Amino acid sequence: MTDVGRHPRIKLLTLSEVVDVKGYVGNFKVKILKKARYVDETSCTACGECAKVCPVVRPDEFNMGLGSRKAIYSPFPQAVPSSYLINAKECLGHNPAVCSKCVEVCSKGCINFHMSDEEIIEEVGTIIVATGLVPYDPTEMDEYGYTRFDNVMTSLEFERMVNASGPTKGSLVRPSDREHPKSVGFIQCVGSRSAKKGARYCSNVCCMNTIKSTFIIKEHYPDVEVKVFYIDIRAFGKGFEDLYTRSRRMGAQYIRGLPGSVEETGEKSLRVAVENAATGKLEYHHLDMLVLAQGIKPAPSTQRLQEIMGLQLTADGFYLEAHPKLQPVDAATRGIFFAGCAEGPKDIKDSVTQASAAAMRAIRVMHKGEITTEPITSVIIAEKCKSCGKCAEVCPYGAITVDVKNKKPAVVNSAACAGCGTCSAECRFDAITMNHFTDAQILGQVDTMLDTAPEAKILAFACNWCSYAGADYAGVSRLQYPANVHLIRVMCSGRVDEKFIWEGFRKGAPVVLVSGCHIGDCHYIDANHWTEKRVARIHKKMEKIGLRPERLQLEWISAAEGIRFAETMKRMEQVRRSVTAEEIAETINTLSKL
Amino acid sequence: MSKPTKDPRIGVYVCHCGLNIAQSVDCSRVARTVENEDGVVVSKDIVYACSEPGQQQIKQDIIDNGLDRIVIASCSPRLHESTFKKMIDSVGLNPYMLDMANLREQCSWVHMNDHAGATLKAETLVNMSISRVRHLQPLTEETLPLTPKTLVIGGGIAGIQAALDLADSGYDVTLVEKSPSVGGVMAQIDKTFPTMDCSI
């Protein structure tokens, strides 16, 4: 930890959050908000004189509220940076009449109430997202009495208590009376592997963490009775099974079954009712203390950052990797990587392994000192351009400039163009070619698909990043859907030109689907807003000329929504079945007259 | 590389992916169905297109037959497009003269109980690819300058490790942590499994 603070190549910004990310691989521009610390990081020696005089006492977050700290404090003894900080919301203020005692005692004059939040711009080539986790809050699991009974605590609270630097200096005591407990119980999978409360997934860590805790208890207090209530013990890693066996040998009892209820008995002890799966009998266990082995949830900032950077999340709320086996640390966006619990629950060893992998993947991108960009960009056909300015309006990257006043043709900055193709789809004069996704290429696919038996087929457009990936995910999950669905891949749903859809209907397609990333998740900032508008526009036209608007559907499907993809395809098939041969013939007739 | 000709010279390869595709799609039938399409010079089914012998065969065909555009009907392009782009590039074909028909993730795996339907769909998907490649244009990648620096978001054990690995390798790192100290949840833990040593 201290290495990070000292390394000449690492700029450490604490109390800081990323508020905006722009640009692309190799050249990201990041806006960071660094909140005021009110103590000069460089000159504070962490002598602690300030905290001694601070009159404000608050629960200490690091010790899970089991201890206290002041309004001016160091988060924990080994903190990096070691500098103290002031929580401005708790501080009484710097008015000498009110307090400012800390200012008076700080001999180095590090405390500065005039510090303000700072906005920092950083230019970087790659980004590693390592936003971590929050432990599951068991408040909602009232059957275990976490909020009602003093001697029911979470595994992290227990962790702080048995920690030598913790509030009890490592001494194991009951919170209610500070007596040493004679028996301690652990309930496993709290907030994990449950369809009802918490999450469905395994926390990956709570089995081993509990086993470790049984060790700590048995080492220091061999006479304390230790009981672990579990579904099954997942000691899958290297050296894990050995640790589990040793824990049993030391006398920890493992009881298969999760308690149904916990009640408080005399002297704040606990009575745990559990159906022992080994004996098939209902048992009652009397314990002095109970620890809830809490699960892991994604960090609260996950969703905000996902939106800022246009990343994808799994249904569990963790970041979605580009490929679960072959690119486990890459985001779908080039130049962004994941490490640690941001990508899914994992233990320290796996976090470290993944972090090193992410660092290596980032170096792999950067070591050449230059970056090659995909030539999938838009090109203006100057002769056809009427300088209307629509393309510049729709470009999410501001990559197109048009001199509307002097009627000069549009110009694309290909370095800034990310290749969504929205401009090409919106240009009414066919004056923009989208490289590698040209009109001719896509119309060729549409025509060929509908060459034979169009009435039996479903034409679907899918964006590369979300919907096409969602379709792949349906495949990986072996979710079955009708075999008449044919996907045409585009980089972004914004590329789906009106004429592709009309061409589909003209060639006899009974139904057409346009699918893309959810609004807010678009890989091209907000290009899918234009998709939405365009589809609404087409729906209106369809109504006008007597086509049932249901025959064109718009669906947002993320890369993790394989099930949604398969369900959508089944629904499309339902709609297709409702389209008669006469209706298709009439559509072809109507459209041929336009 | 083949001489640029007006008429496209297309090579089509229908991959079995072992049994992954072949279990629901009649791959040789698909290859035969499309062999007479306009511009198709070679149309074959192949056990593993991505394997070394598979790639070797395709490369040899490109050289022997002067193929100038390739359809690989196999897995998702999200998986192997870069593999095949590199493959055709190595024999002098522009890497963008390639299209992949997704016969695995979006066909054989999702229509496992409908072999006839899956095979028919595969034929259509390959035909769509063939018509797409007819219109492909060679494209050239651009090189741009790059900032050799990494932003690490989060100063827990993963962020710390990534930042140190990068910094030790000579890259500048900005490590952003929202709390007052690095360390994350790991710093709260005393002994850690399986070694039972201190986490800090």
Side-chain angles (χ1 to χ4, degrees):
Chain A
M1 264 174 68
T2 50
D3 292 349
V4 171
R6 281 198 300 250
H7 205 295
R9 284 198 178 274
I10 299 178
K11 177 174 171 185
L12 176 59
L13 301 172
T14 50
L15 287 172
S16 302
E17 282 181 52
V18 172
V19 289
D20 194 28
V21 176
K22 289 224 156 55
Y24 44 89
V25 57
N27 297 283
F28 292 106
K29 203 169 184 184
V30 185
K31 200 189 279 178
I32 299 159
L33 182 72
K34 183 172 168 57
K35 298 196 182 104
R37 197 176 185 100
Y38 303 107
V39 179
D40 183 3
E41 252 174 71
T42 48
S43 51
C44 172
T45 56
C47 67
E49 292 301 318
C50 52
K52 281 185 197 159
V53 297
C54 177
V56 182
V57 182
R58 286 286 178 269
D60 172 6
E61 296 88 354
F62 187 76
N63 282 321
M64 307 308 291
L66 295 173
S68 63
R69 60 160 177 82
K70 300 296 185 66
I72 185 164
Y73 67 105
S74 167
F76 56 100
Q78 306 93 329
V80 177
S82 60
S83 162
Y84 275 55
L85 73 145
I86 293 174
N87 183 322
K89 283 185 195 137
E90 298 164 354
C91 175
L92 298 178
H94 63 282
N95 184 340
V98 185
C99 184
S100 80
K101 288 194 169 69
C102 54
V103 182
E104 288 157 25
V105 297
C106 181
S107 58
K108 299 199 79 182
C110 311
I111 299 165
N112 176 7
F113 284 103
H114 298 294
M115 251 183 217
S116 52
D117 294 356
E118 226 182 308
E119 203 174 88
I120 298 167
I121 304 285
E122 287 281 335
E123 283 177 14
V124 298
T126 51
I127 299 175
I128 293 176
V129 180
T131 43
L133 65 119
V134 277
Y136 170 72
D137 175 359
T139 304
E140 64 170 344
M141 281 200 143
D142 198 49
E143 57 270 39
Y144 295 152
Y146 174 62
T147 53
R148 290 178 287 137
F149 311 138
D150 290 346
N151 294 326
V152 177
M153 58 191 341
T154 65
S155 40
L156 207 52
E157 287 165 351
F158 176 85
E159 185 66 46
R160 290 315 303 158
M161 185 187 279
V162 296
N163 193 309
S165 68
T168 63
K169 307 239 172 341
S171 175
L172 177 64
V173 296
R174 299 200 328 160
S176 65
D177 52 15
R178 298 183 182 228
E179 292 292 325
H180 288 303
K182 293 187 182 65
S183 54
V184 181
F186 290 85
I187 301 181
Q188 293 307 107
C189 297
V190 175
S192 306
R193 302 177 67 192
S194 162
K196 289 184 188 139
K197 288 175 184 172
R200 286 172 185 270
Y201 53 83
C202 167
S203 79
N204 275 239
V205 296
C206 79
C207 279
M208 292 314 295
N209 190 57
T210 292
I211 291 169
K212 177 203 74 179
S213 300
T214 65
F215 246 83
I216 294 174
I217 298 175
K218 283 289 181 188
E219 259 176 14
H220 292 89
Y221 312 95
D223 297 333
V224 170
E225 200 177 22
V226 178
K227 292 180 177 177
V228 180
F229 304 99
Y230 70 102
I231 306 176
D232 38 33
I233 294 294
R234 296 187 164 176
F236 56 89
K238 189 173 178 177
F240 290 8
E241 185 67 20
D242 181 44
L243 209 65
Y244 173 44
T245 315
R246 277 161 59 200
S247 161
R248 297 190 84 124
R249 215 180 292 142
M250 284 171 95
Q253 296 175 50
Y254 286 79
I255 297 145
R256 194 179 192 123
L258 291 186
S261 71
V262 175
E263 289 165 20
E264 202 168 58
T265 57
E267 290 178 0
K268 302 236 171 210
S269 287
L270 302 150
R271 190 176 85 137
V272 175
V274 60
E275 189 189 333
N276 188 327
T279 62
K281 285 184 185 147
L282 183 67
E283 295 174 1
Y284 293 96
H285 295 267
H286 292 269
L287 299 161
D288 289 342
M289 210 171 127
L290 197 56
V291 180
L292 308 181
Q294 57 200 137
I296 283 178
K297 301 283 264 183
S301 60
T302 307
Q303 201 165 358
R304 194 179 52 80
L305 282 170
Q306 172 248 328
E307 284 169 15
I308 290 174
M309 292 192 274
L311 303 172
Q312 281 104 35
L313 301 181
T314 62
D316 296 336
F318 294 96
Y319 290 107
L320 180 70
E321 61 278 36
H323 191 278
K325 279 181 297 188
L326 304 174
Q327 289 169 283
V329 303
D330 297 11
T333 308
R334 261 178 93 201
I336 302 183
F337 308 93
F338 302 123
C341 289
E343 179 264 338
K346 51 182 67 68
D347 65 12
I348 294 176
K349 178 187 170 182
D350 284 354
S351 293
V352 168
T353 310
Q354 202 187 32
S356 290
M360 196 286 288
R361 296 292 285 178
I363 291 170
R364 181 175 164 270
V365 170
M366 297 188 292
H367 81 110
K368 278 187 196 153
E370 56 184 24
I371 192 100
T372 51
T373 59
E374 286 261 28
I376 303 176
T377 53
S378 61
V379 180
I380 309 282
I381 308 161
E383 313 86 80
K384 288 189 181 177
C385 179
K386 302 267 188 276
S387 314
C388 70
K390 186 69 185 174
C391 51
E393 182 195 337
V394 303
C395 178
Y397 297 89
I400 310 179
T401 42
V402 190
D403 190 346
V404 181
K405 239 184 211 167
N406 297 314
K407 288 273 165 203
K408 280 192 186 151
V411 179
V412 179
N413 172 1
S414 59
C417 171
C420 67
T422 306
C423 55
S424 178
E426 286 292 326
C427 177
R428 286 179 292 142
F429 309 103
D430 286 337
I432 305 178
T433 303
M434 187 62 219
N435 277 342
H436 215 50
F437 290 90
T438 64
D439 288 1
Q441 288 161 4
I442 296 170
L443 288 170
Q445 286 172 280
V446 173
D447 289 347
T448 306
M449 180 202 139
L450 298 168
D451 226 15
T452 51
E455 69 287 348
K457 290 174 180 166
I458 297 168
L459 168 61
F461 294 94
C463 79
N464 180 59
W465 307 99
C466 290
S467 308
Y468 194 89
D472 279 356
Y473 198 57
V476 172
S477 317
R478 309 294 194 277
L479 301 170
Q480 306 296 301
Y481 56 84
N484 54 353
V485 177
H486 298 78
L487 246 62
I488 293 180
R489 180 168 73 131
V490 284
M491 293 314 282
C492 175
S493 63
R495 174 66 189 103
V496 183
D497 200 312
E498 231 184 284
K499 62 173 164 286
F500 303 161
I501 293 165
W502 294 125
E503 177 72 2
F505 285 129
R506 199 177 294 120
K507 291 278 167 176
V511 286
V512 178
L513 173 75
V514 178
S515 59
C517 306
H518 287 271
I519 293 289
D521 290 358
C522 182
H523 192 78
Y524 301 96
I525 307 177
D526 58 358
N528 59 357
H529 278 281
W530 295 100
T531 314
E532 199 176 27
K533 281 187 186 169
R534 196 178 308 135
V535 169
R537 203 163 64 217
I538 303 170
H539 273 150
K540 268 190 195 157
K541 285 187 193 168
M542 288 172 79
E543 244 170 84
K544 221 171 167 182
I545 59 171
L547 257 72
R548 278 196 294 145
E550 306 89 270
R551 291 174 60 193
L552 169 64
Q553 303 241 343
L554 173 66
E555 194 70 48
W556 308 129
I557 300 166
S558 83
E561 290 176 330
I563 295 172
R564 189 184 171 100
F565 182 87
E567 291 305 317
T568 303
M569 295 310 139
K570 287 180 194 161
R571 218 187 53 234
M572 289 302 293
E573 173 63 2
Q574 296 284 324
V575 183
R576 187 199 66 83
R577 282 168 190 268
S578 76
V579 185
T580 60
E582 294 77 49
E583 197 177 346
I584 293 171
E586 205 184 304
T587 304
I588 296 171
N589 190 29
T590 310
L591 291 175
S592 65
K593 284 183 201 152
L594 292 179
Chain B
M1 187 181 156
S2 66
K3 286 182 202 109
T5 47
K6 262 198 170 170
D7 295 324
R9 296 184 65 78
I10 304 168
V12 178
Y13 296 87
V14 183
C15 178
H16 291 224
C17 191
L19 274 178
N20 279 303
I21 295 170
Q23 66 181 347
S24 355
V25 172
D26 184 341
C27 298
S28 67
R29 187 189 145 137
V30 175
R32 271 182 282 124
T33 307
V34 301
E35 66 189 358
N36 295 321
E37 290 296 325
D38 258 4
V40 173
V41 177
V42 176
S43 181
K44 289 179 177 170
D45 58 316
I46 189 166
V47 182
Y48 284 107
C50 62
S51 68
E52 192 53 42
Q55 292 195 39
Q56 202 48 51
Q57 188 188 341
I58 300 170
K59 287 197 278 193
Q60 199 57 51
D61 281 354
I62 293 173
I63 296 164
D64 293 349
N65 299 285
L67 304 178
D68 64 1
R69 48 204 80 205
I70 301 294
V71 170
I72 309 275
S74 60
C75 52
S76 172
R78 291 173 55 86
L79 189 66
H80 269 320
E81 194 174 41
S82 63
T83 310
F84 293 119
K85 274 167 99 174
K86 276 181 211 142
M87 172 190 80
I88 67 170
D89 191 25
S90 74
V91 285
L93 210 57
N94 183 284
Y96 289 86
M97 301 305 277
L98 166 87
D99 193 54
M100 289 179 75
N102 190 335
L103 297 196
R104 195 177 74 170
E105 283 83 347
Q106 296 180 10
C107 190
S108 68
W109 278 352
V110 286
H111 314 307
M112 293 174 104
N113 306 316
D114 182 4
H115 292 202
T119 303
L120 190 66
K121 173 172 171 174
E123 285 168 6
T124 309
L125 290 176
V126 174
N127 263 320
M128 288 163 72
S129 273
I130 292 171
S131 74
R132 176 171 157 78
V133 296
R134 284 198 196 108
H135 297 287
L136 288 180
Q137 303 281 341
L139 297 168
T140 320
E141 285 169 351
E142 253 185 272
T143 358
L144 291 173
L146 159 155
T147 318
K149 183 175 177 181
T150 303
L151 168 77
V152 177
I153 310 174
I157 177 65
I160 291 173
Q161 181 70 38
L164 287 173
D165 282 356
L166 281 156
D168 288 343
S169 308
Y171 293 89
D172 286 331
V173 177
T174 299
L175 176 59
V176 174
E177 164 59 44
K178 72 173 183 310
S179 75
S181 168
V182 296
V185 178
M186 175 216 52
Q188 287 177 289
I189 300 169
D190 180 16
K191 307 265 193 305
T192 56
F193 63 83
T195 50
M196 303 298 284
D197 55 358
C198 159
S199 65
I200 296 178

